[in-house]
Amino acid sequence: MITLTINEKEVTLDKPVSVLEAARQAGIKIPTLCYHEALKPFGGCRLCVVEVERMPKLQTACTLMSADGMIVKTESEVISRVRRGILEFLLINHPLDCPYCDKAGECELQDLVNKYGPTVGRYKEEKRKVPESHKDHIFARNMERCVVCTRCVRMCNDVQGASAISMMGRGNHTRMEPFSADSFNCEYCGNCLTVCPVGAILSRLYIHSFRPWQVDSEVKTICSYCGVGCSLVAQVRDDSIKRVIPEMGLGVNKGLLCSRGRFGYEFINSRERLKTPLIRKKGRLEESTWSEALNLVAEKLSEIKKTEGGSAIAGIASPRCSNEDNYIFQKFMRMACGSNNIDSVSRTGFAAAQKYFEELMGQGITANIIEGLKNSEVIFVVGGDPTSVNPILGLSIREASRRGAKIVVLGNAKGLERFKNVQVIPPVFKEADALEELLAGVSGARGVRGEKPDIDRGISALSGKYSGKSDIGGLEELKNALLDSPSTAIVFGMDLVQRADGHRAIFAVAGLTYLLEARLYLLSEKPNEQGLIDAGCVPDMLPGARPLNIHDFKTKFETAWGGAIPDKNGMTLLEIIEGAKNRDIKALYIMGENPVFNLPDGPFVKEALGSLDFLVVQDIFTTETAEFADVVLPALGWSEKAGTYTNLERRIQLQKKAVNALSGMEDWKIITEVSCKMGYKMAYSEAEDIMDEIAEVSPLYRDLSYREIGKGNCLWPYHGEPLRGEIHELPAMAESSSGNYGADFYLALEKPLFHSGTLSRRSPALMKICPEPTLKISSAAAEKLRLQEGDRVQVSTSVGSVEVAVSIDESIKDNKVLLSNNFEGKGVFSLLTYKLDPVTKAPGIEGCEVRIEKL
Amino acid sequence: MFNETVLKEIEEIKAKYPERRSALLPSLYIAQREFGWLSHEAMECVSKALNVPEAMVRGTASFYSMYKHKPVGRHVIQLCTNISCMILGAEKLVDFIGTRYEVQPGGTSPDNRFSLVIMECIGACGTAPAMLVNTDFHENLSEKRIEEILDKYK
């Protein structure tokens, strides 16, 4: 216990903190400029000076640790004089252009000068002149206003870990600059914007367009891009979002954002938004009315249900939609259409992996808190780059590394290049072997754990398979790092799930989690991949992940919903597509998803959709898939509707409505209308009513309400009972792939930081940061092919070819070439074929051997 | 790119410090020696060799005035114009060098032979005016002596 006196007030502390923090706890505010709660104390601006008895000079409160018996004064004549002096010095160079500066009204310097003076400066000479730089697409840099507090640089180095900017020069000429001196070429997280106390760094998205005090409302909501579900604040004026900012300390992200979350919100104002329902008439989609469109959908689906049976109808739900939307969607499919054929594009990764992990290890195995990553001693990253798929989760890994944790990586992870300790890059298509070998090694050292006999048996079978010395470089070192660790976290990306033997990789990772008692984190690209499963948008499980084939569960839901649920498990996503091709599926209802673009073998998917009798697409844009639809229904997007989302750690959060949409209806509302017309009545006035129903029927969400969610910290299982220890027999595992993988280059999927697909392509800011896809190649490949940065090449597989620019990526160390799947006509999936993983039913990517020719 | 020998030299420097970042200043000197000045390319090479972020390399380099931040001539003249040198006519010498060798303070002669840098005191007040040419020290300067000296630097 430390007791000190601040301004004659006694302050008792549990643990030693800085005098600044102690004063804050006592409700005493000390002015600061270079201090920021997200950053380490710096002691640069000297504004926080205080008098401490028996200390000869004024002390900076931010760097001075409190000690027992200290007597501190935070305001006095001397202190005021010093603060006035410091501010006068700062104003020597800081221009008095407040009437023109965007920061006015929320400028820390302005507030301080207002409080401490001086009212008149004595400096008569010329001020420093630096023209405002608009050379970057996103950031405007005004170095006349910079007060050299270095908050932006410390944020970029110490928190974001991008280290893209630095203080350049010295003395009066010190300025913040990116390496290139003009464009930032960084991760564009914009966290420097959050911490700049003055108008030195501004976002060009809204520069000179509004004043901070002109904001009509501030809506605390969550981001719509990835599975982390960051909290953010949308500032609204005239019913449009002016900017998105984080709030310090709030949510999983604690005031940090990534490029997508901060700058990607403009898609809702895109001109390409669907305005009215469309109906295909004489081969063309034509504008129509809601009543005509809804009647047609209900009529057609009823007809097909009657003539072909419910099993001829299928639905594709969306991990971009809320829990409520998805719950209603599966209820509609099961009760109104009479079909269990419900799946989502999440089947290509998260849903497939999550389900198999839970089957192996028990429900909730992936429910781990992101914050906990920071406390791990070893973080094993496999199957993707967390810093681009889930950037904010990636920051926790970087922070752990700075704290001294070992980061071990299997495969490529560009964002961890400067943070990793061990990296193993197995040959292409041999990743599962590498993981199995690793598991066998760990099991050899750790022995049998004996809690889950099935997994123990699976592991011992592998131990026989790998007994010799490894020929994969670095695997031994990786194994030893894992064995030495007292606390391990495993971060699993979805790259290895998209393999025909993806279940082997999943089993190996599950085995490692089991033997090392590690915490498992699954990377999740879309905001509600977990919620989608919990809401029951899977072919074999009811809400709350209750297996359909357990009679008691089924009966319970049948009673609650008032009707019969079909007995048989439905089809998974690619089975639905194949079913459409084989005419087993006659009608397909797609909610907020774009399978033509987001699935491998695009030509096949197009053909399948073309074979359908009836296709309904519900979306906010006319997507590539909507082009094939018979009816297109305009939905509402992020910030236009309320709903709950479940993030990858299974935190249930509320996404709020911030603005009124010009057109469209909530996804759930459209579906309930169709359902009523089909004779199965569903009536809810608000999304909240749906959550009340979910809380009643789904054991996972017992007692949950919007009020509870609004309080925060609604982590799964919310008062619910998870279903642990499922009875399960290990499915037969595929053999090691014996294919001949001798091609020069293999095409692989890149998950870029700046794009997500349909939404990001309609976000002007993200398009400015990254206007087109590039083929990422290693410098060795560039040398071999005599290619330079920016050269245009033709990339061809057996399926097709695409023309893109080349970008050399030093983080690629093998013969992979990477292409993202975010741009129409230039995606990686359209070039690849697939083969289903027999266990997870995820599409295993095939045909990745590519030819690259310079144009 | 740095060649193998240079990379080896940098590896040896790196080995002396517990942190890679500590090897920045000596590595920047090597880059300056190899490229003549600290171009963006030179700093990129240092960044890669040390695995220190590029912006941090440039931030560090730009703090120190003894690194060359723009291309310089074959020989760098560093002439002092502080009090003692000034009283003894250093400013006239600046003009002299300017006309005789076509090089202005902070600039480089068109034939790329000399760059002229005006220095703060170089501790030769007793033998002022004084200058450094590359790393050689010259004092008691006059126009004639400067001509004699600089003739040796082709």
Side-chain angles (χ1 to χ4, degrees), chain A residues 20-176:
Chain A
L20 184 72
E21 174 59 23
R24 197 195 59 78
Q25 287 179 17
I28 298 164
K29 197 166 184 297
I30 300 176
T32 53
L33 195 56
C34 73
Y35 173 83
H36 192 277
E37 58 179 294
L39 306 170
K40 277 188 225 132
F42 182 61
C45 73
R46 322 304 285 179
L47 274 169
C48 66
V49 285
V50 292
E51 283 178 24
V52 183
E53 255 179 40
R54 293 199 295 275
M55 280 186 152
K57 287 179 188 169
L58 295 182
Q59 301 289 324
T60 46
C62 66
T63 54
L64 182 69
M65 284 308 274
S66 45
D68 206 28
M70 230 177 207
I71 299 169
V72 182
K73 252 164 88 179
T74 69
E75 299 283 345
S76 75
E77 181 46 37
V78 178
I79 293 171
S80 292
R81 216 165 53 229
V82 168
R83 287 181 186 151
R84 191 160 57 241
I86 292 165
L87 291 167
E88 194 177 347
F89 270 119
L90 286 176
L91 291 180
I92 282 179
N93 272 321
H94 189 89
L96 298 178
D97 62 352
C98 307
Y100 167 81
C101 176
D102 262 27
K103 198 77 177 186
E106 54 178 10
C107 171
E108 292 180 33
L109 183 65
Q110 194 180 42
D111 294 348
L112 286 166
V113 173
N114 191 26
K115 183 161 182 201
Y116 293 94
T119 42
V120 183
R122 285 169 288 175
Y123 181 76
K124 301 278 185 260
E125 285 78 19
E126 277 277 286
K127 283 178 185 263
R128 177 179 63 188
K129 286 266 185 308
V130 196
E132 187 165 271
S133 167
H134 286 250
K135 285 175 181 159
D136 190 79
H137 291 303
I138 302 296
F139 301 119
R141 207 160 44 86
N142 185 318
M143 285 301 114
E144 281 173 9
R145 296 186 190 135
C146 177
V147 290
V148 200
C149 64
T150 73
R151 271 161 43 164
C152 54
V153 174
R154 286 182 284 143
M155 172 56 86
C156 193
N157 284 341
D158 304 345
V159 180
Q160 180 68 18
S163 300
I165 52 174
S166 190
M167 296 317 285
M168 305 290 176
R170 166 162 74 165
N172 202 28
H173 303 289
T174 312
R175 75 256 172 223
M176 177 278 281

Side-chain angles (χ1 to χ4, degrees), chain A residues 519-833:
Chain A
R519 278 159 298 145
L520 181 63
Y521 297 81
L522 299 192
L523 298 182
S524 163
E525 267 182 83
K526 307 269 167 70
N528 207 20
E529 295 196 276
Q530 182 61 51
L532 178 88
I533 301 170
D534 294 343
C537 284
V538 272
D540 51 356
M541 289 192 294
L542 292 162
R546 294 310 195 233
L548 186 67
N549 53 21
I550 295 182
H551 182 260
D552 286 358
F553 290 140
K554 192 165 156 270
T555 326
K556 191 187 150 201
F557 279 97
E558 281 174 339
T559 320
W561 290 345
I565 301 169
D567 287 327
K568 233 177 100 210
N569 282 348
M571 295 181 185
T572 58
L573 177 70
L574 289 133
E575 288 167 341
I576 292 173
I577 301 292
E578 283 162 18
K581 176 79 197 344
N582 305 334
R583 306 274 302 141
D584 292 335
I585 297 290
K586 298 280 166 38
L588 180 58
Y589 197 127
I590 301 177
M591 173 177 78
E593 192 48 83
N594 188 3
V596 166
F597 187 71
N598 287 332
L599 290 182
D601 207 351
F604 176 75
V605 178
K606 282 182 188 171
E607 206 187 320
L609 296 186
S611 320
L612 287 164
D613 288 348
F614 192 61
L615 173 63
V616 187
V617 173
Q618 192 167 302
D619 209 314
I620 61 172
F621 294 110
T622 323
T623 59
E624 294 85 340
T625 304
E627 303 287 337
F628 290 84
D630 294 288
V631 179
V632 182
L633 302 167
L636 297 183
W638 170 80
S639 82
E640 295 169 343
K641 60 174 186 181
T644 60
Y645 283 75
T646 308
N647 80 349
L648 63 90
E649 50 179 357
R650 295 199 168 185
R651 188 185 296 271
I652 304 155
Q653 304 189 102
L654 201 52
Q655 197 178 82
K656 291 182 198 152
K657 183 176 166 171
V659 293
N660 290 301
L662 292 172
S663 55
M665 264 204 276
E666 285 102 332
D667 285 289
W668 62 262
K669 202 165 205 161
I670 303 174
I671 294 162
T672 52
E673 301 240 339
V674 174
S675 184
C676 290
K677 285 178 199 291
M678 286 176 72
Y680 180 71
K681 204 163 155 35
M682 283 201 263
Y684 309 91
S685 56
E686 299 286 340
E688 196 172 348
D689 302 344
I690 303 171
M691 182 41 81
D692 291 344
E693 180 180 317
I694 299 176
E696 238 168 70
V697 298
S698 166
L700 284 186
Y701 290 168
R702 186 172 299 159
D703 294 342
L704 195 66
S705 66
Y706 271 27
R707 249 188 71 198
E708 282 296 314
I709 298 171
K711 288 183 198 159
N713 285 330
C714 278
L715 274 153
W716 179 91
Y718 190 78
H719 290 190
E721 301 149 11
L723 201 79
R724 280 191 185 276
E726 269 178 57
I727 308 149
H728 186 78
E729 222 168 280
L730 217 53
M733 278 205 260
E735 290 295 309
S736 289
S737 171
S738 56
N740 172 24
Y741 298 111
D744 285 345
F745 300 108
Y746 288 93
L747 188 60
L749 174 65
E750 184 211 357
K751 303 267 171 67
L753 176 58
F754 304 122
H755 282 287
S756 69
T758 313
L759 302 187
S760 73
R761 261 188 285 151
R762 281 146 178 120
S763 297
L766 296 176
M767 286 303 283
K768 277 179 198 154
I769 297 173
C770 176
E772 61 163 4
T774 52
L775 184 77
K776 306 274 185 313
I777 61 172
S778 67
S779 44
E783 210 167 296
K784 193 167 168 187
L785 295 163
R786 293 172 199 282
L787 290 171
Q788 282 180 342
E789 184 85 19
D791 281 351
R792 297 203 80 83
V793 290
Q794 172 114 357
V795 188
S796 327
T797 62
S798 56
V799 181
S801 68
V802 65
E803 189 193 312
V804 280
V806 154
S807 144
I808 297 168
D809 188 333
E810 302 283 344
S811 71
I812 304 172
K813 294 170 190 83
D814 54 5
N815 58 347
K816 282 200 197 88
V817 293
L818 309 180
L819 185 62
S820 70
N821 197 60
N822 303 120
F823 289 85
E824 201 170 337
K826 299 211 175 209
V828 60
F829 279 165
S830 56
L831 299 176
L832 303 174
T833 52

Side-chain angles (χ1 to χ4, degrees), chain A residues 232-299:
Chain A
L232 42 81
V233 179
Q235 293 190 326
V236 180
R237 187 185 169 201
D238 297 337
D239 214 17
S240 102
I241 293 183
K242 283 289 162 191
R243 66 172 170 180
V244 160
I245 52 172
E247 186 174 305
M248 275 301 139
L250 191 70
V252 254
N253 49 322
K254 306 263 181 294
L256 303 170
L257 285 179
C258 76
S259 58
R260 279 172 273 167
R262 189 186 294 265
F263 300 122
Y265 58 89
E266 293 166 297
F267 69 87
I268 55 163
N269 299 322
S270 167
R271 278 195 207 154
E272 293 170 58
R273 281 292 296 272
L274 275 168
K275 291 179 188 71
T276 57
L278 307 174
I279 292 180
R280 187 169 299 277
K281 286 177 185 161
K282 292 182 201 137
R284 279 188 40 209
L285 282 174
E286 284 177 17
E287 292 194 357
S288 160
T289 61
W290 274 106
S291 65
E292 189 187 0
L294 293 175
N295 282 333
L296 180 66
V297 173
E299 197 181 297

